[in-house]
Amino acid sequence: MPESLIAGIPVHFPFEPYPVQRAYMEKVIHCLRDGTNGVLESPTGTGKTLSLLCSSLAWIRTRQSEHQMQMVKMEKADFSGIGGGAPGGDLSELAKTMGRANNWGVPKVIYASRTHSQLTQAMRELKRTAYANMRSVVLGSRDQLCIHPEVMRELGNSNKTNMCKLRVHSKTCSFQMRVESRKDHPDLRGPTIMDIEDLVKVGQRLKICPYFASRELARANKIELGNTIVILDEAHNIEKICEEYASVQIKSSDVAMTIEDITHIRQVFASGESQDMAGDEPKDFTLDDLTLLKEMLLELEKAIDAVVVDNAVDGTTFPASMMYELLGKANFTYGNVASIISLLDKLVQYLLVASQQMSIRKGGTFTLLSDLLTIVFANKEDVMSKVYASFKVHVLVEESKQGHGKQQGAKQQGGWLGKGTIAAATGSSKVAKIINFWCFNPGFGMEQLLNTQVRSVILTSGTLAPLKPLIAELAIPVAQHLENPHIVDQSQVYVKIIGTGPDRQQLISNYANRDNPKYVSSLGQTILNVARIVPDGLLVFFPSYPMLNKCVDAWQASGLWADISCKKPIFLEPRSKDQFTSTMEEFYQAIRDSKGAVFMAVCRGKVSEGLDFADRNGRAVIITGLPFPPLKDPKVILKRRYLEANRTRENQLLSGQEWYNLDATRAVNQAIGRVIRHRNDYGAILLCDSRFKDASQVQQLSKWIRGHLGDRPQCSPFGPIVRELRQFFKNAEANMKLPDERETDSPLETVCKTEVEPLAAIPKVKREPGSNATFKSANESAIKVEMANSIKTWTPADYASAAGRKLGGAAPNAMDFMSRLDSNVSSIDFNCCTDSKSGSSGLVKIHKRERSSPTAPESTSQVSKKRYKLVENIKVEPSSSQAKVAPEDRAAFLRELRSLVTQDQFRRFGKALLEYKNGTYESFQALMAILLDVLSAPKVRYMLVGMRKYLKNEHKEEFDRRVGNL
């Protein structure tokens, strides 16, 4: 592997690094060497993750070598002293032992990213470097790592976490209990780097919990924040993450349901049912604990009732001290909050057990209250002045879910809840409320990280610009900052600001113009003309969902939608999680079918944040407007006020208006980054809003985008843009090499990437690796029989030309029509007979013929004759006589399955399939149960057979056996 000397450190890189990669690695090494912080931007496709890992690990390896050399010198100095057994020799041995235990004093690296998929990608990059032999531990959530079947059946991360804690506490999780005895197993501590999937596989093989095994490895490697290098990748939303992490919300209905849950537990205790549920096991809490907690919550409910909301629509804002006063009235203080949080955790575990035997909530309200107390009282009393400056309390009126007539009774029956009703009583102050405790200072959270004495913090992403406002908001000292250009040439990117549409109507998506039907029509005409030119995938991003829906409705009414669909099929970003994966797969499939496609999505949505539209999947992106935050949103108003109140010349904070503009531009930068994904990629970026030419907006775009727009960007007329765009793609297709086929994971493919082809299309059986000869033979025969029974078409002409066969002959060939007659035939078309001599058709000609050959050997068994019913001379389409076969394409498979089953059945199928992806044998059993329940009927059994190719190899034998028993 090539070695490059960067900032005095030898760095092994898989290839000769590009200039942008060298610049990036140099900044990383300077941060680590000097113990300073860095904010580094490098566009997507520049090898940012690979550069980050190689440079940081190269520096660590160099430091390790330096410390080891120092230990060798100390050892030599001891030997040259007076006597090898002098006390100095013992000290040297002690120093070496301590050095090895503490990694020779070299800092460790904590690499964090936004999603588990990005962590997996980073570990995959690490595996192909020269540093793959360095020790590493991957940490993930229970949702990704847990293999306990009962825990994984729980819905929601909160329920899974609480159920896991209960199992561990009660010592009923055998996987967790084996961790201690098998933590030193070579498979777990082996030299190979493990990502999340690898860790799960090892856990399943050793029957230990991957979640607790990874934490045991972290403890064994003494991973602590002190003197550690913290790398935050994909940190473009770091300010919002810091603010949201320190913010919390509590509702009147939450308090009411918590009181109701406590009342229910007390009733269970009083009736003695708790003894039946838990036997003689002692409780972790008493009736007195429950009584005291209920009294405190009743006082909290009264305190919330007493809060006066002046503006019932927009709410009322209070200083941060109001939250501490509110909780203080209910006797929640710094002195007792730790014991109360402990009690709430015990109640959650109790309800998890009780909910399995009776109809009761699982303690979600206790978790909400625990989160509130944890966040509010996490701030030490000695920093309250900063808390008061950084936080605000905003109180809103909680909307009721039922009619006003039922609300009064609900209030009388049980606070704001009654019989499960979120209600608001009549009266000036006694209405249900939402108490928001909002943090507006992201530097408050970053300061807590720096106080742990970390060595360096590196924030990096493809879209961090502009850097100065980010550094000012986070309030951390930054010695190294970088805005890398893109790795692609100028000829690979086409960037233009489109200020007018084909009809010369101004394109501006501001509040005053977005309802203008002429603007909406002109925007649609612009997208239509661009769709005619752009090959393959076209992405269109809207400022918000309401704007997207408004345009879709108008274009469908005017016919523009149909015009665009004639050029490329249109896909809309779904808001539900269940439909998202299937919609994305259908979009990718349309690209693979060479039709091209248009995907319409929203800035800040899932599509704009992290999906890969490399090469053909995204050849152009259209930004239809600037996605400003809602101007009248209370949180936006308070954020702007906070900036104006705390802005000084020294801290260089943005003004409220500057922050408002920047928030929109950062969302645009993130959406633009979906297109150019690697060095050989190319695409067009079209900014369809005349406001993009304003200097204030241009300066906030990423540096590599500004380079394409020039010093004084102007809106270009639509006519020349069409000609330039057509010429750009013509030149790019002629000069750029064809991209490698990039297979995109789909919901079915990610379950198991198998090479087995669909049964109906297999001319030759593929043997599955790892199977023995007996299974190979049986599997091959089973597929032959399956193909023999797959009758696509049959006519009497085929019968007439088919040869007879011996009863004891060889196995039937798939193309032998006589063997097909032995299988189940739903219908035979006698109307397609053609007389070879006269050429007349439509006449039925019947030949009396024996089913067996005259030379057949004697047999005691008699072949049963089949009877056929003659039907009228009705033309039958060939497809109607074909035995149905499941679609080969994954997207088509999902569409057909969705059309055959109910919505509830399809939802159950999708959930079981996702669990099967990274699940255990139990998840396969759960999937099989659903498949047999939904697809066992004869008319849909072909879909059940079609599911075989999406299963893991180790499960196919049992699948064949269970399907064969139907």
Side-chain angles (χ1 to χ4, degrees):
M1 192 168 287
E3 180 182 295
S4 303
L5 192 65
I6 301 175
I9 301 294
V11 179
H12 294 275
F13 209 68
F15 49 85
E16 184 63 30
Y18 304 129
V20 294
Q21 294 170 336
R22 293 186 69 95
Y24 187 90
M25 289 191 283
E26 187 174 341
K27 293 289 185 180
V28 172
I29 291 174
H30 284 161
C31 287
L32 306 188
R33 181 192 64 194
D34 302 334
T36 55
N37 306 318
V39 177
L40 312 177
E41 180 191 80
S42 193
T44 302
T46 55
K48 171 173 54 67
T49 302
L50 185 62
S51 303
L52 187 64
L53 294 171
C54 288
S55 56
S56 57
L57 296 179
W59 180 83
I60 284 180
R61 181 172 284 180
T62 302
R63 285 291 301 272
Q64 286 176 336
S65 300
E66 291 173 354
H67 280 269
Q68 289 174 1
M69 289 177 62
Q70 290 179 2
M71 298 305 298
V72 170
K73 290 180 180 179
M74 289 175 58
E75 187 174 349
K76 289 181 178 179
D78 291 337
F79 277 114
S80 62
I82 302 173
D90 296 335
L91 291 175
S92 174
E93 195 64 34
L94 178 62
K96 285 193 294 183
T97 304
M98 293 294 292
R100 292 191 190 97
N102 294 295
N103 196 31
W104 306 102
V106 178
K108 296 181 176 64
V109 174
I110 295 179
Y111 175 93
S113 193
R114 292 174 57 247
T115 64
H116 289 94
S117 61
Q118 289 162 347
L119 283 180
T120 300
Q121 178 186 351
M123 299 301 284
R124 192 180 302 123
E125 293 281 3
L126 182 57
K127 287 179 180 179
R128 68 188 190 98
T129 67
Y131 308 99
N133 60 343
M134 300 186 74
R135 287 187 299 174
S136 64
V137 181
V138 61
L139 300 177
S141 68
R142 289 175 172 86
D143 193 40
Q144 296 290 324
L145 294 175
C146 180
I147 61 175
H148 196 291
E150 292 187 15
V151 175
M152 294 310 296
R153 272 198 288 269
E154 293 291 326
L155 299 178
N157 289 334
S158 177
N159 285 340
K160 289 178 182 176
T161 299
N162 291 327
M163 178 61 78
C164 173
K165 290 180 179 179
L166 172 64
R167 293 272 173 189
V168 172
H169 178 72
S170 59
K171 297 184 178 181
T172 56
C173 178
S174 59
F175 301 102
Q176 189 271 339
M177 294 175 68
R178 295 190 190 102
V179 170
E180 182 64 27
S181 60
R182 301 183 183 179
K183 64 182 180 181
D184 296 324
H185 195 280
D187 289 353
L188 197 60
R189 292 182 176 267
T192 58
I193 291 174
M194 289 191 295
D195 58 22
I196 290 176
E197 293 180 1
D198 296 331
L199 189 59
V200 170
K201 290 177 182 177
V202 170
Q204 291 171 341
R205 186 163 61 250
L206 300 180
K207 298 191 181 302
I208 63 173
C209 174
Y211 176 80
F212 284 99
S214 64
R215 272 144 185 77
E216 184 63 37
L217 291 175
R219 281 193 292 270
N221 286 280
K222 298 182 180 179
I223 297 179
E224 299 173 350
L225 287 175
N227 191 35
T228 299
I229 299 159
V230 178
I231 298 174
L232 303 178
D233 200 357
E234 299 297 335
H236 48 269
N237 289 330
I238 189 65
E239 315 107 289
K240 290 184 179 179
I241 291 173
C242 289
E243 291 176 358
E244 291 173 0
Y245 179 78
S247 302
V248 70
Q249 179 189 88
I250 191 75
K251 301 177 183 178
S252 294
S253 56
D254 296 332
V255 178
M257 284 191 288
T258 307
I259 295 172
E260 187 180 74
D261 287 342
I262 293 175
T263 303
H264 191 91
I265 294 174
R266 294 182 67 206
Q267 291 173 351
V268 170
F269 266 58
S271 63
E273 294 180 27
S274 60
Q275 297 295 328
D276 298 333
M277 289 188 297
D280 297 329
E281 183 179 344
K283 303 295 181 299
D284 293 328
F285 53 87
T286 64
L287 276 174
D288 292 339
D289 295 331
L290 296 176
T291 303
L292 180 60
L293 181 59
K294 182 176 180 179
E295 290 177 356
M296 296 172 71
L297 291 173
L298 289 171
E299 291 297 323
L300 179 60
E301 189 176 48
K302 290 179 183 178
I304 295 175
D305 287 346
V307 176
V308 178
V309 181
D310 297 328
N311 189 334
V313 177
D314 298 327
T316 304
T317 303
F318 300 90
S321 58
M322 182 263 198
M323 176 60 78
Y324 294 92
E325 295 170 1
L326 196 69
L327 294 173
K329 292 178 181 178
N331 199 28
F332 292 101
T333 64
Y334 277 100
N336 63 9
V337 69
S339 59
I340 293 173
I341 292 174
S342 175
L343 173 61
L344 292 171
D345 291 341
K346 295 171 183 175
L347 291 173
V348 169
Q349 294 179 10
Y350 174 81
L351 287 181
L352 279 171
V353 176
S355 64
Q356 298 177 0
Q357 303 184 32
M358 63 176 65
S359 178
I360 190 172
R361 286 187 291 266
K362 296 185 178 181
T365 56
F366 292 134
T367 302
L368 289 174
L369 182 59
S370 177
D371 292 342
L372 171 74
L373 299 177
T374 300
I375 291 175
V376 171
F377 289 100
N379 308 305
K380 305 300 181 183
E381 292 182 271
D382 54 353
V383 296
M384 293 309 294
S385 59
K386 184 173 288 188
V387 171
Y388 294 156
S390 304
F391 289 77
K392 293 291 181 185
V393 174
H394 189 77
V395 183
L396 295 165
V397 173
E398 184 178 2
E399 295 181 2
S400 59
K401 289 188 177 180
Q402 294 192 6
H404 180 77
K406 297 181 181 180
Q407 295 173 3
Q408 195 76 10
K411 172 66 178 173
Q412 294 172 0
Q413 291 176 18
W416 299 116
L417 188 63
K419 295 183 179 180
T421 306
I422 300 176
T426 58
S428 58
S429 64
K430 290 188 177 182
V431 294
K433 302 178 183 72
I434 302 174
I435 311 294
N436 295 291
F437 188 63
W438 285 336
C439 175
F440 296 102
N441 180 11
F444 194 85
M446 289 301 297
E447 184 181 16
Q448 294 180 344
L449 175 61
L450 294 178
N451 288 340
T452 60
Q453 304 302 315
V454 295
R455 178 184 178 89
S456 295
V457 176
I458 297 178
L459 307 178
T460 184
S461 179
T463 53
L464 288 176
L467 301 185
K468 284 186 178 180
L470 173 65
I471 296 171
E473 273 241 88
L474 295 176
I476 60 173
V478 174
Q480 303 293 334
H481 52 84
L482 174 70
E483 283 186 79
N484 250 342
H486 213 295
I487 205 168
V488 297
D489 298 329
Q490 290 277 340
S491 61
Q492 293 174 243
V493 185
Y494 179 84
V495 184
K496 286 293 180 181
I497 301 173
I498 304 179
T500 56
D503 55 357
R504 299 185 180 180
Q505 174 71 32
Q506 184 185 22
L507 298 179
I508 179 169
S509 182
N510 58 14
Y511 182 76
N513 196 48
R514 64 182 55 172
D515 290 329
N516 182 358
K518 292 183 178 179
Y519 158 71
V520 174
S521 175
S522 183
L523 179 61
Q525 291 286 352
T526 302
I527 296 173
L528 172 61
N529 282 274
V530 172
R532 288 169 175 162
I533 302 170
V534 175
D536 304 316
L538 171 62
L539 309 179
V540 183
F541 287 103
F542 291 79
S544 63
Y545 281 106
M547 190 64 197
L548 169 61
N549 296 332
K550 185 180 299 182
C551 290
V552 170
D553 293 341
W555 296 339
Q556 288 177 342
S558 66
L560 267 172
W561 184 269
D563 294 339
I564 300 173
S565 299
C566 289
K567 301 300 176 184
K568 295 177 185 290
I570 305 174
F571 297 87
L572 293 178
E573 179 178 19
R575 303 189 73 168
S576 66
K577 190 175 180 181
D578 296 336
Q579 298 177 355
F580 185 78
T581 50
S582 60
T583 302
M584 288 306 308
E585 173 55 30
E586 291 172 10
F587 172 78
Y588 290 139
Q589 186 59 43
I591 301 296
R592 289 193 290 268
D593 292 342
S594 300
K595 302 174 185 175
V598 178
F599 202 109
M600 297 185 179
V602 174
C603 290
R604 299 190 187 90
K606 292 180 182 178
V607 173
S608 69
E609 280 293 319
L611 291 186
D612 187 0
F613 292 92
D615 300 320
R616 294 181 58 205
N617 290 336
R619 285 300 182 204
V621 57
I622 295 176
I623 307 295
T624 64
L626 286 161
F628 291 106
L631 184 63
K632 295 184 179 180
D633 184 89
K635 203 168 187 179
V636 173
I637 295 172
L638 291 174
K639 175 68 176 182
R640 296 179 67 171
R641 287 179 186 172
Y642 164 79
L643 290 171
E644 295 293 349
N646 293 275
R647 185 187 183 203
T648 63
R649 184 173 297 178
E650 290 75 19
N651 61 24
Q652 295 183 333
L653 283 177
L654 294 171
S655 66
Q657 186 60 41
E658 288 171 339
W659 168 85
Y660 188 72
N661 294 336
L662 176 59
D663 193 75
T665 313
R666 280 204 176 132
V668 169
N669 288 335
Q670 194 65 22
I672 288 173
R674 298 309 94 210
V675 177
I676 308 298
R677 305 296 292 182
H678 57 87
R679 190 187 183 190
N680 297 318
D681 206 353
Y682 63 90
I685 299 167
L686 305 176
L687 308 174
C688 296
D689 193 312
S690 59
R691 291 174 293 178
F692 277 109
K693 73 178 187 300
D694 298 341
S696 60
Q697 296 297 337
V698 172
Q699 290 305 313
Q700 292 175 344
L701 291 172
S702 295
K703 183 178 180 180
W704 70 277
I705 296 292
R706 299 200 302 267
H708 288 276
L709 289 174
D711 296 333
R712 295 183 179 179
Q714 297 295 325
C715 297
S716 302
F718 190 76
I721 287 179
V722 171
R723 291 192 296 272
E724 293 173 6
L725 191 63
R726 185 177 286 111
Q727 190 63 39
F728 166 77
F729 282 110
K730 183 178 180 181
N731 294 337
E733 291 173 1
N735 299 325
M736 298 298 297
K737 68 176 184 179
L738 291 175
D740 297 331
E741 197 65 32
R742 296 164 62 91
E743 192 70 25
T744 306
D745 287 350
S746 69
L748 292 176
E749 185 184 24
T750 53
V751 171
C752 181
K753 295 182 179 177
T754 175
E755 298 182 356
V756 179
E757 301 291 335
L759 295 179
I762 298 182
K764 183 178 180 181
V765 178
K766 275 195 176 182
R767 298 184 185 274
E768 297 177 354
S771 58
N772 55 41
T774 304
F775 176 73
K776 288 178 182 177
S777 176
N779 186 46
E780 193 167 317
S781 299
I783 294 179
K784 283 183 177 180
V785 171
E786 197 67 50
M787 292 182 62
N789 291 336
S790 300
I791 304 176
K792 294 187 178 296
T793 181
W794 191 88
T795 66
D798 298 325
Y799 180 85
S801 61
R805 62 183 175 88
K806 298 179 180 180
L807 290 177
N813 186 283
M815 301 304 295
D816 181 359
F817 290 99
M818 290 304 298
S819 68
R820 293 184 177 198
L821 282 177
D822 287 340
S823 62
N824 294 328
V825 182
S826 58
S827 63
I828 303 176
D829 183 11
F830 285 98
N831 301 310
C832 64
C833 299
T834 302
D835 191 332
S836 60
K837 295 181 180 180
S838 63
S840 60
S841 61
L843 300 177
V844 178
K845 186 176 181 180
I846 303 178
H847 298 268
K848 185 177 181 181
R849 185 174 177 177
E850 294 295 329
R851 287 293 312 276
S852 59
S853 172
T855 60
E858 295 182 0
S859 173
T860 56
S861 61
Q862 183 178 359
V863 180
S864 61
K865 294 184 178 180
K866 292 195 175 185
R867 297 182 179 181
Y868 302 99
K869 180 181 179 181
L870 300 183
V871 297
E872 294 182 4
N873 187 7
I874 302 173
K875 183 62 180 175
V876 181
E877 295 295 331
S879 61
S880 65
S881 62
Q882 296 180 4
K884 285 190 175 181
V885 179
E888 300 178 16
D889 172 57
R890 294 178 298 275
F893 185 94
L894 288 172
R895 282 196 298 269
E896 183 160 345
L897 180 63
R898 190 186 303 167
S899 65
L900 293 172
V901 300
T902 65
Q903 184 176 1
D904 179 64
Q905 289 174 331
F906 188 77
R907 189 183 300 112
R908 288 167 51 210
F909 165 79
K911 178 186 174 185
L913 193 63
L914 291 175
E915 291 178 351
Y916 176 66
K917 171 185 174 183
N918 293 320
T920 59
Y921 178 74
E922 287 77 9
S923 62
F924 166 69
Q925 293 292 344
L927 177 63
M928 279 300 302
I930 292 177
L931 290 176
L932 295 176
D933 177 50
V934 175
L935 301 176
S936 60
K939 66 177 182 178
V940 293
R941 194 170 298 172
Y942 70 98
M943 294 294 289
L944 177 62
V945 175
M947 269 298 300
R948 184 183 189 276
K949 62 183 175 182
Y950 300 116
L951 298 178
K952 301 175 185 178
N953 289 335
E954 60 265 28
H955 297 148
K956 289 181 179 178
E957 183 177 3
E958 181 173 349
F959 175 84
D960 295 337
R961 177 177 56 78
R962 296 180 67 173
V963 172
N965 292 334
L966 291 178

